[in-house]
Amino acid sequence: MQTAAEDEVHDELFPFIPTPGDGGRWSAPADLEQHLYRLVRTDNAYAYLRALAIEGVYYPVAVDEARAAGEGTFPMLTMEIPDGRTVAQVYTAGLLPRPHPHLVYEYTTLGALAGILPAGVDVLAVNVATPCEQYFPTDDEEREVWLDLHHELFSSDELMDRVVTRRSGELPTGPLLHGLACGAHLCFTNGDAWNTTYWHGMGYRGERERVADSWGVHDREDWLAIEERLLGREVSAWYWDFVLGARTALIAARGNRVDAEQWRACVEDTLRDQAARTGTATDDGEFADFVAHLRALVGKVLRYESRFRADGLLPPDGVVRSVAAWDIGRASKMARWGLGARYATESETLASLERASEAARAAYSSWEEFSAGYVLGRCLHFDEEEFGPWYTTVLDAHRALVATPDSPWRTVPFGTG
């Protein structure tokens, strides 16, 4: 079974962030940790628990034990402290360290934690060795409190559809940060921090289940294959960009906009020319059906673009030149999902993100143009001109990413390289 490269072993198994001395204040990596820091300073342990109930926590697991557990509960790491008590440690998302080949982090809600905490654990240590560390007893009464708070406060939907930006450990402007930003649509939808390569996502099990259920990825070879196809823009139908490219060529040749019939004729003529050059038969029903499908696609694109203009996805005279962003954006997230599932090494993830950046900059000139291409690709894949959730949810993401001050589209220059 694949493991990450041994040369990527490092010492960052657990977070270690010293508390500022001389009365200094800590600038936390994200809003949750900043909130917990304030609660620690005011000695408000109950409010701290309430925050954990909303967001959930991550606990460390030895990777070999995680793999051996199969469908069972992953065994939590515990330790015995000098006074003889046993401690289990958990962390909030913003404090998770750089992924390690031999240790993974599993996500759990506070309610689930009440049930899976190993027998004999006396203390729950939250964010230990950081400025927002806190400790809780683990007796039956305390666990009842966790369950009550979970039922009162936890909603997975509330953790999605938001722009999350890390404020510490941020990357410098360049291809890597730009490649991360290419996955902003999916980061918003999933409520993930967009600007970190310290990727744990939904936890080790969650990331493996995500790529298995949605992508059919079950091992390293599967991940390598789908990531290469996404970066090569080979997952989406090739003829989407073929149709869009026909219009782009007409506009370049004529110096103005073209009408729908001119565009359809260009698509058909180009198809027939290519068939003649390659010796493809054009006198059968299959070829005729394909020509008709691509001619109809022209109308579908025009109708989507009209809606995009009305909704502010495109400027009044704007068109979509390519749907490359649909594969590129997903490649950006697949790079991180592969790392979270331990199918990809860290170096492979970083290289894939930089390739995503290069592909995006080759196809587009702005985040807004990239976004319109991503949305059209998603709609052609899923929506079938219903303008339902497959469209409206990604429109919400576009609007938030355009407007939120710390979103990647407001902070990362598109042309960076």
Side-chain angles (χ1 to χ4, degrees):
M1 185 171 292
Q2 183 266 342
T3 59
E6 290 299 320
D7 62 4
E8 293 183 313
V9 175
H10 55 84
D11 295 331
E12 299 173 53
L13 287 164
F14 308 109
F16 177 71
I17 305 173
T19 299
D22 300 324
R25 295 297 182 94
W26 180 49
S27 179
D31 290 343
L32 172 61
E33 288 75 27
Q34 198 70 57
H35 178 56
L36 297 178
Y37 179 54
R38 288 194 296 268
L39 295 175
V40 167
R41 292 170 65 87
T42 57
D43 197 25
N44 194 336
Y46 183 69
Y48 192 111
L49 269 180
R50 290 181 66 87
L52 298 185
I54 293 171
E55 295 281 344
V57 294
Y58 294 77
Y59 61 89
V61 181
V63 70
D64 289 342
E65 294 187 2
R67 289 173 176 155
E71 297 299 317
T73 300
F74 293 168
M76 298 177 65
L77 291 177
T78 60
M79 66 179 65
E80 187 172 314
I81 56 179
D83 65 7
R85 291 181 297 169
T86 300
V87 176
Q89 60 206 70
V90 298
Y91 300 90
T92 52
L95 292 172
L96 293 176
R98 176 185 170 194
H100 193 282
H102 304 321
L103 189 77
V104 295
Y105 283 84
E106 183 56 40
Y107 174 79
T108 184
T109 65
L110 188 61
L113 185 64
I116 66 174
L117 204 63
V121 170
D122 304 296
V123 178
L124 180 70
V126 185
N127 293 336
V128 66
T130 77
C132 62
E133 67 182 5
Q134 185 65 277
Y135 301 88
F136 297 94
T138 61
D139 54 56
D140 291 344
E141 183 178 350
E142 179 71 12
R143 296 190 197 203
E144 285 296 326
V145 173
W146 300 355
L147 285 168
D148 290 343
L149 290 176
H150 170 79
H151 293 310
E152 176 191 351
L153 299 171
F154 182 78
S155 169
S156 59
D157 290 344
E158 294 297 319
L159 302 180
M160 300 178 181
D161 299 327
R162 57 182 182 172
V163 176
V164 180
T165 302
R166 295 282 166 81
R167 296 191 293 265
S168 60
E170 58 264 54
L171 296 163
T173 298
L176 184 54
L177 185 65
H178 188 272
L180 289 167
C182 289
H185 286 100
L186 281 166
C187 286
F188 176 86
T189 299
N190 296 328
D192 296 326
W194 68 268
N195 63 332
T196 180
T197 57
Y198 288 9
W199 190 260
H200 300 273
M202 297 191 301
Y204 175 74
R205 183 200 301 270
E207 294 300 90
R208 288 201 162 205
E209 289 177 350
R210 186 207 302 267
V211 295
D213 295 344
S214 298
W215 291 89
V217 171
H218 299 280
D219 54 30
R220 171 172 172 77
E221 287 69 31
D222 288 344
W223 178 82
L224 286 167
I226 192 62
E227 180 68 358
E228 191 62 34
R229 290 183 63 213
L230 285 166
L231 288 168
R233 297 162 49 183
E234 297 173 354
V235 176
S236 296
W238 65 267
Y239 52 82
W240 294 349
D241 263 1
F242 173 84
V243 169
L244 294 172
R247 178 176 58 184
T248 300
L250 277 176
I251 292 173
R254 296 167 183 260
N256 54 24
R257 295 177 67 90
V258 299
D259 63 36
E261 193 48 47
Q262 291 172 327
W263 186 6
R264 292 188 184 98
C266 180
V267 167
E268 181 169 351
D269 291 346
T270 305
L271 272 178
R272 293 188 181 281
D273 287 345
Q274 289 184 354
R277 288 197 300 272
T278 59
T280 302
T282 61
D283 56 355
D284 60 12
E286 185 176 347
F287 184 82
D289 289 344
F290 187 58
V291 169
H293 178 69
L294 265 58
R295 287 179 63 94
L297 184 58
V298 168
K300 180 181 287 190
V301 169
L302 288 170
R303 290 186 290 274
Y304 271 117
E305 288 177 333
S306 178
R307 178 65 177 267
F308 289 3
R309 295 185 200 101
D311 289 337
L313 269 167
L314 285 173
D317 59 349
V319 298
V320 178
R321 293 188 297 111
S322 172
V323 293
W326 176 231
D327 278 1
I328 296 167
R330 294 182 295 169
S332 173
K333 283 308 292 287
M334 183 59 72
R336 286 167 271 187
W337 292 335
L339 181 59
R342 296 303 190 271
Y343 295 143
T345 66
E346 181 182 89
S347 58
E348 288 168 337
T349 294
L350 301 184
S352 292
L353 289 165
E354 292 188 345
R355 287 179 62 191
S357 169
E358 181 181 9
R361 287 180 285 113
Y364 302 101
S365 59
S366 71
W367 287 120
E368 290 80 5
E369 188 182 16
F370 177 91
S371 183
Y374 181 94
V375 176
L376 180 59
R378 190 176 199 251
C379 288
L380 292 176
H381 191 126
F382 291 118
D383 183 62
E384 294 298 330
E385 290 191 85
E386 293 180 1
F387 297 100
W390 288 114
Y391 171 64
T392 58
T393 54
V394 77
L395 174 63
D396 290 341
H398 171 91
R399 287 172 170 167
L401 290 163
V402 167
T404 304
D406 62 351
S407 92
W409 299 353
R410 297 286 299 275
T411 56
V412 180
F414 189 84
T416 186

